[in-house]
Amino acid sequence: EVQLVQSGAEVRKPGESLKISCKGSGYSFRSYFIGWVRQVPGKGLEWVGLVFPRDSQSRYSPSFQGQITISADESIRTAYLHWSSLKASDTGMYYCVRQQYSSWSAFEYWGQGTLVTVSS
Amino acid sequence: EIVLSQSPGTLSLSPGERVTLSCRASQSVNNAFLAWYQQKPGQAPRLLVHGAANRATGIPVRFSGSGSGTDFILTINRLEPEDFAMYYCQQYGSSPYTFGQGTKLEIK
């Protein structure tokens, strides 16, 4: 059974750094793109970016480019979303997703979400 | 960036009814790479349809998708109580991938 298990909720202050994680199991982790999707509470879904664990190739939405870094460690089957300096506007629920086959495919599996709260 | 507009914003219907949800793109979606997701409160979204018309694994046959180019439809035949939720369309044919703003399906 394919599973994506994300790290727990985080509360940080503006300017602080943060890295959240997503551990995949039940499939060949290195062979599928992993992405991240943000949902601001009560709002819609926004694609953040993706990474291909086999070669760490990554691609970002222009809305998030330069603000975050997505990476993956194939040896421990884990993908990461990292902020070096958080802003209040980064507050939201972040879901990791596994795409169906290539980077041009739907989001077939979703993690349970990690709530990130940035507040002074 | 492709903008997806979903309509209506909210629908109030009764179990057993048939519903069509619309998703219109600001430009043609490459290869009909259009997906539909269902999201219930407190849960992650779930993939219903990919490639505009292909049901995802385990999705009941009452869900069907259609469309091409800029206009796409999700149809739910004979609504079940568990179908009342938010529905989002998404295009993944061009980067950045984008989502519609969602349609809320509520019980009348």
Side-chain angles (χ1 to χ4, degrees):
Chain A
E1 178 196 4
V2 174
Q3 282 196 310
L4 299 173
V5 178
Q6 298 184 226
S7 50
E10 302 276 5
V11 179
R12 292 285 189 278
K13 291 181 167 48
E16 293 185 338
S17 65
L18 174 65
K19 182 183 273 191
I20 61 175
S21 66
C22 169
K23 187 175 179 67
S25 62
Y27 72 98
S28 174
F29 183 78
R30 69 195 312 260
S31 300
Y32 291 85
F33 284 82
I34 291 272
W36 291 91
V37 173
R38 180 174 79 178
Q39 186 167 38
V40 174
K43 301 294 185 184
L45 304 166
E46 302 172 87
W47 177 67
V48 175
L50 56 77
V51 64
F52 190 50
R54 182 179 298 172
D55 59 10
S56 296
Q57 166 197 160
S58 59
R59 176 153 39 100
Y60 300 97
S61 165
S63 299
F64 293 89
Q65 180 89 44
Q67 312 301 313
I68 50 91
T69 303
I70 297 174
S71 60
D73 185 336
E74 187 187 339
S75 68
I76 55 172
R77 308 173 62 86
T78 301
Y80 300 96
L81 177 59
H82 174 247
W83 294 263
S84 58
S85 181
L86 286 159
K87 302 190 284 280
S89 56
D90 293 318
T91 294
M93 180 72 82
Y94 289 83
Y95 295 101
C96 67
V97 296
R98 197 208 83 174
Q99 296 189 242
Q100 284 180 301
Y101 16 83
S102 71
S103 64
W104 305 107
S105 60
F107 300 166
E108 187 171 20
Y109 295 96
W110 295 65
Q112 83 277 18
T114 296
L115 181 62
V116 173
T117 303
V118 185
S119 174
S120 53
Chain B
E1 171 173 322
I2 295 179
V3 176
L4 299 179
S5 300
Q6 292 186 241
S7 60
T10 303
L11 263 176
S12 298
L13 293 169
S14 301
E17 292 193 83
R18 179 176 181 268
V19 62
T20 58
L21 309 182
S22 172
C23 177
R24 177 160 288 175
S26 60
Q27 55 190 279
S28 186
V29 176
N30 291 337
N31 302 304
F33 282 169
L34 192 287
W36 291 92
Y37 300 87
Q38 176 194 69
Q39 186 178 32
K40 297 179 180 178
Q43 296 184 17
R46 174 175 73 144
L47 177 65
L48 299 175
V49 169
H50 61 94
N54 304 292
R55 263 189 309 278
T57 304
I59 301 303
V61 296
R62 63 180 182 274
F63 290 91
S64 62
S66 63
S68 63
T70 60
D71 290 291
F72 299 88
I73 297 284
L74 176 70
T75 300
I76 313 173
N77 285 304
R78 288 195 294 277
L79 282 166
E80 297 284 344
E82 62 267 28
D83 299 337
F84 292 91
M86 282 293 292
Y87 290 84
Y88 295 96
C89 60
Q90 178 219 12
Q91 68 80 24
Y92 51 92
S94 303
S95 192
Y97 310 142
T98 49
F99 291 88
Q101 82 280 17
T103 290
K104 182 177 182 180
L105 185 53
E106 60 181 29
I107 298 179
K108 186 187 262 186

